[in-house]
Amino acid sequence: MSTAKTVEIRDLSVANDRPFTLLVGPCQLESLEHARMLAGSLAETCADLGIPFVFKASYDKANRSSLSGVRGLGIEKGLEILNAIREEFGCPVVTDVHDVPQVQRAAEVVDILQIPAFLCRQTDLLLAAGETGKALNIKKGQFLAPWDMKNVADKVLSTGNEKIMLCDRGTSFGYNMLVSDFRALPIMAETGFPVVFDATHSVQLPGGLGTSTGGQREFVPPLARAAVAVGTAALFMETHEDPDNSPSDGPNMVPLAEMKGVLSRLKAIDELMKAG
């Protein structure tokens, strides 16, 4: 296995042999007030538990199941909100980019650029993201084997950027179904890059509701516990105070009121696995 690499993000150090970092927030931005409420609650919870915290939210959901899906606030308003959260709470922020023109604009605000799973082989997008020098969270496509992510990382490395995190979010298993193969985490960790487990999107039922994606949020905590037990540098989770009435990905999000209990168990497992 390659030597574990550390990705420095502001005052956070993310690595496979360090306590896990949490990338967490709503699926999409709804308003500054809503983002501030969620960020405040999450920042307090993570401070109480001693968990490094990155606020996550999307300004555009470009891959909705149907044209009727709510996409979000758009890049300018979304980045304005993310910048406000970053400054008010002093936490790093992460958002996804979908095409090359968005990359440089997003990089002016966020600490981590996220490459969506469907776009993880898009060479021009990876190169543009790498050239910003920002940390990247690259989601493994549902259609890729974990060992194929080395080729993805190599594209970014060609720009001289080594701030790479590789994220598993489940693998296609027939129609409208994903399965988590936890061998993927140590396989991707062989690259040395920090590995992230996306517990939210791993429980999706893609397109499972016809014009929208379904999900099974009750499986987020057990899958997250399994990932931490196997070993991961970071966890990606989405949350909302009222998931059933959120504009997107509600079936997959952990209710905000349940987050502290979920995270306290994850921290205990992580400490046990990385002790000594």
Side-chain angles (χ1 to χ4, degrees):
M1 181 181 292
S2 300
T3 302
K5 299 175 174 65
T6 300
V7 173
E8 304 289 346
I9 304 166
R10 294 183 70 176
D11 59 345
L12 304 185
S13 298
V14 184
N16 293 323
D17 56 359
R18 296 184 62 85
F20 78 84
T21 296
L22 181 67
L23 282 60
V24 65
C27 178
Q28 63 174 265
L29 291 163
E30 299 177 34
S31 67
L32 175 58
E33 293 72 22
H34 185 254
R36 180 180 286 137
M37 179 276 294
L38 287 174
S41 176
L42 292 165
E44 181 179 356
T45 292
C46 290
D48 287 346
L49 296 175
I51 295 174
F53 156 64
V54 178
F55 184 76
K56 174 272 159 190
S58 300
Y59 55 77
D60 180 20
K61 305 304 294 184
N63 61 351
R64 299 306 304 274
S65 296
S66 70
L67 190 59
S68 62
V70 178
R71 290 186 53 168
L73 300 178
I75 188 168
E76 293 303 327
K77 181 63 175 177
L79 291 177
E80 179 183 320
I81 292 172
L82 288 169
N83 188 56
I85 296 299
R86 186 179 188 270
E87 292 186 353
E88 179 174 349
F89 295 97
C91 60
V93 295
V94 56
T95 198
D96 33 6
V97 290
H98 305 93
D99 55 36
V100 171
Q102 293 181 2
V103 170
Q104 189 57 50
R105 179 70 186 95
E108 295 171 2
V109 173
V110 304
D111 302 279
I112 307 171
L113 294 171
Q114 183 164 279
I115 306 298
F118 287 134
L119 301 178
C120 69
R121 287 180 48 165
Q122 295 298 107
T123 300
D124 290 344
L125 182 62
L126 290 167
L127 295 180
E131 287 166 358
T132 67
K134 291 286 184 175
L136 306 184
N137 183 38
I138 308 174
K139 293 197 175 184
K140 181 184 78 65
Q142 303 92 319
F143 44 86
L144 281 187
W147 44 85
D148 292 332
M149 288 299 284
K150 181 181 183 303
N151 294 330
V152 173
D154 285 345
K155 292 181 181 182
V156 176
L157 286 173
S158 73
T159 69
N161 187 344
E162 298 184 3
K163 299 177 183 178
I164 298 168
M165 299 183 291
L166 303 178
C167 180
D168 186 74
R169 47 114 343 129
T171 301
S172 295
F173 189 72
Y175 298 126
N176 304 127
M177 180 64 68
L178 299 173
V179 65
S180 292
D181 177 3
F182 288 100
R183 295 176 300 176
L185 301 180
I187 289 171
M188 291 197 299
E190 290 176 1
T191 64
F193 295 114
V195 171
V196 184
F197 181 70
D198 178 349
T200 290
H201 295 97
S202 292
V203 304
Q204 276 187 335
L205 302 175
L209 299 180
T211 59
S212 64
T213 286
Q216 298 171 303
R217 75 168 70 101
E218 66 270 24
F219 293 120
V220 170
L223 289 186
R225 293 195 297 268
V228 170
V230 169
T232 186
L235 285 172
F236 177 106
M237 299 174 71
E238 290 181 343
T239 187
H240 195 278
E241 79 285 359
D242 185 12
D244 290 335
N245 290 299
S246 65
S248 60
D249 262 348
N252 315 300
M253 289 197 281
V254 176
L256 183 63
E258 298 177 13
M259 283 296 295
K260 188 165 189 176
V262 170
L263 292 173
S264 63
R265 295 184 70 183
L266 292 172
K267 180 177 173 65
I269 296 169
D270 189 59
E271 290 178 341
L272 176 65
M273 295 306 298
K274 293 174 181 174

